[in-house]
Short mmCIF file of all heavy atoms in Angstrom, two decimals:
data_model
loop_
_atom_site.label_atom_id
_atom_site.label_comp_id
_atom_site.label_asym_id
_atom_site.label_seq_id
_atom_site.Cartn_x
_atom_site.Cartn_y
_atom_site.Cartn_z
N ARG N 52 -8.60 130.68 -14.33
CA ARG N 52 -7.94 131.33 -15.47
C ARG N 52 -7.25 130.32 -16.39
O ARG N 52 -7.04 130.60 -17.56
CB ARG N 52 -6.90 132.35 -14.98
CG ARG N 52 -7.47 133.48 -14.15
CD ARG N 52 -6.36 134.45 -13.77
NE ARG N 52 -6.79 135.39 -12.77
CZ ARG N 52 -7.45 136.51 -13.04
NH1 ARG N 52 -7.73 136.81 -14.29
NH2 ARG N 52 -7.81 137.33 -12.08
N GLY N 53 -6.86 129.18 -15.85
CA GLY N 53 -6.08 128.23 -16.62
C GLY N 53 -6.92 127.21 -17.35
O GLY N 53 -8.15 127.28 -17.39
N ILE N 54 -6.23 126.23 -17.93
CA ILE N 54 -6.89 125.13 -18.63
C ILE N 54 -6.97 123.95 -17.68
O ILE N 54 -5.94 123.40 -17.28
CB ILE N 54 -6.10 124.73 -19.89
CG1 ILE N 54 -5.95 125.93 -20.83
CG2 ILE N 54 -6.77 123.57 -20.61
CD1 ILE N 54 -5.01 125.69 -21.99
N PRO N 55 -8.16 123.55 -17.27
CA PRO N 55 -8.28 122.45 -16.30
C PRO N 55 -7.96 121.10 -16.94
O PRO N 55 -8.47 120.78 -18.01
CB PRO N 55 -9.75 122.53 -15.87
CG PRO N 55 -10.44 123.13 -17.06
CD PRO N 55 -9.47 124.08 -17.69
N ASP N 56 -7.10 120.32 -16.30
CA ASP N 56 -6.83 118.96 -16.78
C ASP N 56 -8.09 118.10 -16.67
O ASP N 56 -8.39 117.29 -17.54
CB ASP N 56 -5.71 118.31 -15.96
CG ASP N 56 -4.36 118.98 -16.21
OD1 ASP N 56 -4.15 119.47 -17.33
OD2 ASP N 56 -3.55 119.04 -15.28
N ASN N 57 -8.80 118.33 -15.57
CA ASN N 57 -10.02 117.57 -15.32
C ASN N 57 -10.92 118.42 -14.42
O ASN N 57 -10.59 118.65 -13.26
CB ASN N 57 -9.68 116.24 -14.64
CG ASN N 57 -10.89 115.34 -14.48
OD1 ASN N 57 -11.92 115.75 -13.96
ND2 ASN N 57 -10.75 114.09 -14.92
N ILE N 58 -12.02 118.91 -14.95
CA ILE N 58 -12.89 119.80 -14.18
C ILE N 58 -13.46 119.10 -12.96
O ILE N 58 -13.49 119.66 -11.86
CB ILE N 58 -14.02 120.35 -15.08
CG1 ILE N 58 -13.46 121.43 -16.01
CG2 ILE N 58 -15.16 120.92 -14.24
CD1 ILE N 58 -14.49 122.09 -16.89
N GLU N 59 -13.91 117.87 -13.13
CA GLU N 59 -14.48 117.13 -12.00
C GLU N 59 -13.47 116.98 -10.87
O GLU N 59 -13.78 117.21 -9.70
CB GLU N 59 -14.96 115.76 -12.49
CG GLU N 59 -15.72 114.98 -11.42
CD GLU N 59 -16.23 113.66 -11.98
OE1 GLU N 59 -15.53 113.04 -12.82
OE2 GLU N 59 -17.33 113.25 -11.57
N LYS N 60 -12.24 116.64 -11.24
CA LYS N 60 -11.17 116.48 -10.25
C LYS N 60 -10.85 117.81 -9.58
O LYS N 60 -10.66 117.88 -8.35
CB LYS N 60 -9.92 115.91 -10.92
CG LYS N 60 -8.78 115.61 -9.97
CD LYS N 60 -7.61 115.00 -10.74
CE LYS N 60 -6.43 114.70 -9.80
NZ LYS N 60 -5.28 114.12 -10.56
N PHE N 61 -10.80 118.89 -10.35
CA PHE N 61 -10.52 120.23 -9.81
C PHE N 61 -11.56 120.60 -8.76
O PHE N 61 -11.22 121.12 -7.68
CB PHE N 61 -10.52 121.25 -10.95
CG PHE N 61 -10.54 122.68 -10.49
CD1 PHE N 61 -9.38 123.32 -10.08
CD2 PHE N 61 -11.75 123.40 -10.48
CE1 PHE N 61 -9.42 124.64 -9.65
CE2 PHE N 61 -11.78 124.72 -10.05
CZ PHE N 61 -10.61 125.34 -9.64
N LEU N 62 -12.82 120.34 -9.04
CA LEU N 62 -13.89 120.72 -8.11
C LEU N 62 -13.83 119.88 -6.83
O LEU N 62 -14.00 120.41 -5.73
CB LEU N 62 -15.24 120.54 -8.79
CG LEU N 62 -15.52 121.48 -9.98
CD1 LEU N 62 -16.82 121.08 -10.67
CD2 LEU N 62 -15.58 122.93 -9.53
N VAL N 63 -13.54 118.58 -6.97
CA VAL N 63 -13.46 117.70 -5.80
C VAL N 63 -12.28 118.10 -4.91
O VAL N 63 -12.42 118.22 -3.68
CB VAL N 63 -13.34 116.23 -6.24
CG1 VAL N 63 -13.01 115.34 -5.04
CG2 VAL N 63 -14.63 115.76 -6.90
N LEU N 64 -11.11 118.32 -5.52
CA LEU N 64 -9.91 118.67 -4.76
C LEU N 64 -10.07 119.99 -4.01
O LEU N 64 -9.50 120.17 -2.93
CB LEU N 64 -8.70 118.73 -5.68
CG LEU N 64 -8.18 117.41 -6.22
CD1 LEU N 64 -7.04 117.63 -7.22
CD2 LEU N 64 -7.69 116.51 -5.08
N ASN N 65 -10.83 120.90 -4.60
CA ASN N 65 -11.01 122.22 -3.98
C ASN N 65 -12.33 122.34 -3.22
O ASN N 65 -12.68 123.43 -2.75
CB ASN N 65 -10.94 123.31 -5.05
CG ASN N 65 -9.54 123.46 -5.62
OD1 ASN N 65 -8.69 124.12 -5.04
ND2 ASN N 65 -9.31 122.83 -6.77
N ASN N 66 -13.03 121.20 -3.08
CA ASN N 66 -14.29 121.15 -2.33
C ASN N 66 -15.27 122.22 -2.82
O ASN N 66 -15.84 122.98 -2.04
CB ASN N 66 -14.03 121.33 -0.82
CG ASN N 66 -15.25 120.94 0.01
OD1 ASN N 66 -16.06 120.12 -0.40
ND2 ASN N 66 -15.36 121.56 1.18
N ILE N 67 -15.44 122.27 -4.14
CA ILE N 67 -16.32 123.25 -4.77
C ILE N 67 -17.47 122.51 -5.45
O ILE N 67 -17.26 121.53 -6.17
CB ILE N 67 -15.56 124.09 -5.82
CG1 ILE N 67 -14.42 124.86 -5.17
CG2 ILE N 67 -16.50 125.05 -6.55
CD1 ILE N 67 -13.48 125.51 -6.17
N HIS N 68 -18.68 122.99 -5.22
CA HIS N 68 -19.84 122.49 -5.96
C HIS N 68 -20.35 123.61 -6.85
O HIS N 68 -20.50 124.75 -6.41
CB HIS N 68 -20.96 122.06 -5.01
CG HIS N 68 -22.26 121.81 -5.72
ND1 HIS N 68 -22.49 120.68 -6.48
CD2 HIS N 68 -23.38 122.59 -5.84
CE1 HIS N 68 -23.69 120.76 -7.01
NE2 HIS N 68 -24.26 121.90 -6.65
N VAL N 69 -20.60 123.31 -8.11
CA VAL N 69 -21.16 124.31 -9.01
C VAL N 69 -22.35 123.73 -9.77
O VAL N 69 -22.46 122.51 -9.96
CB VAL N 69 -20.11 124.84 -10.02
CG1 VAL N 69 -18.97 125.53 -9.30
CG2 VAL N 69 -19.60 123.74 -10.93
N ASP N 70 -23.22 124.63 -10.20
CA ASP N 70 -24.39 124.23 -10.97
C ASP N 70 -24.12 124.24 -12.47
O ASP N 70 -24.79 123.53 -13.23
CB ASP N 70 -25.56 125.19 -10.68
CG ASP N 70 -25.92 125.22 -9.22
OD1 ASP N 70 -26.25 124.16 -8.67
OD2 ASP N 70 -25.88 126.32 -8.62
N ALA N 71 -23.16 125.07 -12.89
CA ALA N 71 -22.90 125.21 -14.33
C ALA N 71 -21.48 125.73 -14.55
O ALA N 71 -20.86 126.33 -13.67
CB ALA N 71 -23.91 126.16 -14.96
N VAL N 72 -21.01 125.51 -15.78
CA VAL N 72 -19.69 125.99 -16.20
C VAL N 72 -19.88 126.97 -17.35
O VAL N 72 -20.63 126.72 -18.29
CB VAL N 72 -18.79 124.82 -16.67
CG1 VAL N 72 -17.46 125.35 -17.20
CG2 VAL N 72 -18.55 123.84 -15.53
N VAL N 73 -19.17 128.11 -17.27
CA VAL N 73 -19.17 129.09 -18.34
C VAL N 73 -17.75 129.25 -18.87
O VAL N 73 -16.82 129.53 -18.11
CB VAL N 73 -19.67 130.48 -17.86
CG1 VAL N 73 -19.51 131.53 -18.96
CG2 VAL N 73 -21.14 130.39 -17.42
N PHE N 74 -17.57 129.02 -20.16
CA PHE N 74 -16.32 129.35 -20.83
C PHE N 74 -16.50 130.77 -21.37
O PHE N 74 -17.24 131.00 -22.32
CB PHE N 74 -16.02 128.36 -21.96
CG PHE N 74 -15.73 126.96 -21.48
CD1 PHE N 74 -16.75 126.03 -21.34
CD2 PHE N 74 -14.44 126.59 -21.14
CE1 PHE N 74 -16.49 124.73 -20.89
CE2 PHE N 74 -14.16 125.31 -20.68
CZ PHE N 74 -15.19 124.38 -20.55
N GLY N 75 -15.83 131.73 -20.73
CA GLY N 75 -16.09 133.14 -20.99
C GLY N 75 -15.56 133.64 -22.32
O GLY N 75 -14.93 132.90 -23.09
N LEU N 76 -15.80 134.91 -22.57
CA LEU N 76 -15.45 135.52 -23.84
C LEU N 76 -13.96 135.37 -24.17
O LEU N 76 -13.58 135.25 -25.32
CB LEU N 76 -15.82 137.01 -23.81
CG LEU N 76 -16.02 137.69 -25.15
CD1 LEU N 76 -17.25 137.18 -25.87
CD2 LEU N 76 -16.13 139.21 -24.95
N GLY N 77 -13.12 135.36 -23.14
CA GLY N 77 -11.68 135.25 -23.38
C GLY N 77 -11.14 133.84 -23.36
O GLY N 77 -9.93 133.63 -23.49
N TRP N 78 -12.02 132.82 -23.21
CA TRP N 78 -11.57 131.44 -23.09
C TRP N 78 -10.63 131.03 -24.22
O TRP N 78 -9.56 130.45 -23.99
CB TRP N 78 -12.75 130.48 -23.02
CG TRP N 78 -12.40 129.06 -23.37
CD1 TRP N 78 -12.71 128.38 -24.50
CD2 TRP N 78 -11.59 128.15 -22.60
NE1 TRP N 78 -12.19 127.11 -24.49
CE2 TRP N 78 -11.49 126.95 -23.32
CE3 TRP N 78 -10.96 128.24 -21.35
CZ2 TRP N 78 -10.78 125.85 -22.86
CZ3 TRP N 78 -10.25 127.15 -20.88
CH2 TRP N 78 -10.17 125.97 -21.62
N PHE N 79 -10.99 131.35 -25.45
CA PHE N 79 -10.19 130.89 -26.58
C PHE N 79 -8.88 131.66 -26.75
O PHE N 79 -8.10 131.36 -27.65
CB PHE N 79 -11.01 130.92 -27.87
CG PHE N 79 -12.03 129.82 -27.94
CD1 PHE N 79 -13.39 130.12 -27.98
CD2 PHE N 79 -11.66 128.49 -27.93
CE1 PHE N 79 -14.34 129.12 -28.04
CE2 PHE N 79 -12.60 127.47 -27.99
CZ PHE N 79 -13.95 127.79 -28.04
N ASN N 80 -8.62 132.63 -25.86
CA ASN N 80 -7.29 133.25 -25.84
C ASN N 80 -6.24 132.22 -25.45
O ASN N 80 -5.05 132.41 -25.72
CB ASN N 80 -7.26 134.43 -24.87
CG ASN N 80 -7.93 135.67 -25.45
OD1 ASN N 80 -8.95 135.57 -26.11
ND2 ASN N 80 -7.36 136.83 -25.21
N HIS N 81 -6.67 131.13 -24.80
CA HIS N 81 -5.76 130.02 -24.51
C HIS N 81 -5.29 129.34 -25.80
O HIS N 81 -4.26 128.66 -25.81
CB HIS N 81 -6.47 128.95 -23.67
CG HIS N 81 -6.56 129.26 -22.22
ND1 HIS N 81 -5.48 129.63 -21.46
CD2 HIS N 81 -7.64 129.23 -21.38
CE1 HIS N 81 -5.87 129.81 -20.20
NE2 HIS N 81 -7.17 129.58 -20.13
N LYS N 82 -6.08 129.51 -26.87
CA LYS N 82 -5.86 128.76 -28.12
C LYS N 82 -5.86 127.26 -27.85
O LYS N 82 -5.12 126.49 -28.46
CB LYS N 82 -4.57 129.22 -28.82
CG LYS N 82 -4.68 130.63 -29.38
CD LYS N 82 -3.46 131.00 -30.20
CE LYS N 82 -3.69 132.30 -30.95
NZ LYS N 82 -4.06 133.44 -30.11
N PHE N 83 -6.72 126.87 -26.90
CA PHE N 83 -6.88 125.45 -26.59
C PHE N 83 -8.20 124.99 -27.19
O PHE N 83 -9.26 125.56 -26.92
CB PHE N 83 -6.90 125.22 -25.08
CG PHE N 83 -7.16 123.79 -24.69
CD1 PHE N 83 -6.12 122.87 -24.67
CD2 PHE N 83 -8.44 123.36 -24.37
CE1 PHE N 83 -6.35 121.55 -24.33
CE2 PHE N 83 -8.68 122.03 -24.04
CZ PHE N 83 -7.63 121.13 -24.02
N PHE N 84 -8.14 123.95 -28.03
CA PHE N 84 -9.33 123.47 -28.71
C PHE N 84 -9.57 121.98 -28.47
O PHE N 84 -10.33 121.34 -29.19
CB PHE N 84 -9.21 123.74 -30.22
CG PHE N 84 -8.88 125.17 -30.55
CD1 PHE N 84 -7.63 125.49 -31.06
CD2 PHE N 84 -9.80 126.18 -30.33
CE1 PHE N 84 -7.32 126.80 -31.37
CE2 PHE N 84 -9.50 127.50 -30.63
CZ PHE N 84 -8.25 127.81 -31.15
N GLY N 85 -8.91 121.44 -27.44
CA GLY N 85 -8.99 120.01 -27.20
C GLY N 85 -10.09 119.60 -26.24
O GLY N 85 -11.00 120.36 -25.91
N LEU N 86 -9.99 118.36 -25.77
CA LEU N 86 -10.99 117.78 -24.90
C LEU N 86 -10.76 118.21 -23.46
O LEU N 86 -9.63 118.16 -22.95
CB LEU N 86 -10.94 116.25 -25.00
CG LEU N 86 -11.97 115.48 -24.19
CD1 LEU N 86 -13.38 115.73 -24.74
CD2 LEU N 86 -11.65 113.98 -24.22
N ILE N 87 -11.82 118.63 -22.79
CA ILE N 87 -11.78 118.94 -21.37
C ILE N 87 -12.33 117.74 -20.60
O ILE N 87 -13.50 117.37 -20.77
CB ILE N 87 -12.63 120.19 -21.04
CG1 ILE N 87 -12.13 121.42 -21.80
CG2 ILE N 87 -12.66 120.45 -19.54
CD1 ILE N 87 -10.83 121.96 -21.31
N LYS N 88 -11.51 117.11 -19.78
CA LYS N 88 -11.95 115.94 -19.05
C LYS N 88 -12.87 116.33 -17.89
O LYS N 88 -12.74 117.41 -17.32
CB LYS N 88 -10.73 115.18 -18.50
CG LYS N 88 -9.82 114.61 -19.58
CD LYS N 88 -8.61 113.93 -18.95
CE LYS N 88 -7.66 113.40 -20.01
NZ LYS N 88 -6.45 112.77 -19.41
N GLY N 89 -13.77 115.44 -17.57
CA GLY N 89 -14.62 115.62 -16.39
C GLY N 89 -15.66 116.69 -16.51
O GLY N 89 -16.18 117.16 -15.50
N LEU N 90 -16.01 117.08 -17.72
CA LEU N 90 -17.02 118.12 -17.92
C LEU N 90 -18.40 117.46 -17.95
O LEU N 90 -18.98 117.20 -19.00
CB LEU N 90 -16.76 118.90 -19.20
CG LEU N 90 -17.70 120.07 -19.50
CD1 LEU N 90 -17.73 121.06 -18.34
CD2 LEU N 90 -17.29 120.78 -20.78
N LYS N 91 -18.92 117.20 -16.76
CA LYS N 91 -20.21 116.50 -16.64
C LYS N 91 -21.29 117.44 -16.09
O LYS N 91 -22.32 116.99 -15.60
CB LYS N 91 -20.05 115.29 -15.72
CG LYS N 91 -19.01 114.29 -16.20
CD LYS N 91 -18.82 113.15 -15.22
CE LYS N 91 -17.76 112.18 -15.70
NZ LYS N 91 -17.55 111.06 -14.73
N ILE N 92 -21.01 118.73 -16.17
CA ILE N 92 -21.89 119.76 -15.61
C ILE N 92 -22.47 120.56 -16.75
O ILE N 92 -21.80 120.77 -17.77
CB ILE N 92 -21.07 120.67 -14.67
CG1 ILE N 92 -20.38 119.84 -13.59
CG2 ILE N 92 -21.96 121.74 -14.01
CD1 ILE N 92 -19.27 120.57 -12.89
N PRO N 93 -23.71 121.04 -16.66
CA PRO N 93 -24.26 121.92 -17.70
C PRO N 93 -23.29 123.05 -18.03
O PRO N 93 -22.73 123.68 -17.13
CB PRO N 93 -25.55 122.45 -17.07
CG PRO N 93 -25.97 121.36 -16.14
CD PRO N 93 -24.68 120.79 -15.59
N SER N 94 -23.09 123.31 -19.33
CA SER N 94 -22.04 124.26 -19.72
C SER N 94 -22.48 125.09 -20.92
O SER N 94 -23.25 124.66 -21.76
CB SER N 94 -20.76 123.51 -20.08
OG SER N 94 -20.99 122.61 -21.15
#
Side-chain angles (χ1 to χ4, degrees):
R52 299 182 191 276
I54 302 171
D56 292 329
N57 186 308
I58 285 183
E59 187 177 35
K60 184 178 179 181
F61 167 81
L62 294 173
V63 170
L64 289 176
N65 291 279
N66 194 27
I67 299 170
H68 168 76
V69 298
D70 302 302
V72 176
V73 173
F74 293 91
L76 202 68
W78 160 253
F79 287 117
N80 283 39
H81 280 309
K82 291 186 170 56
F83 176 83
F84 308 110
L86 183 66
I87 300 289
K88 296 178 182 178
L90 183 55
K91 301 176 181 179
I92 304 163
S94 60

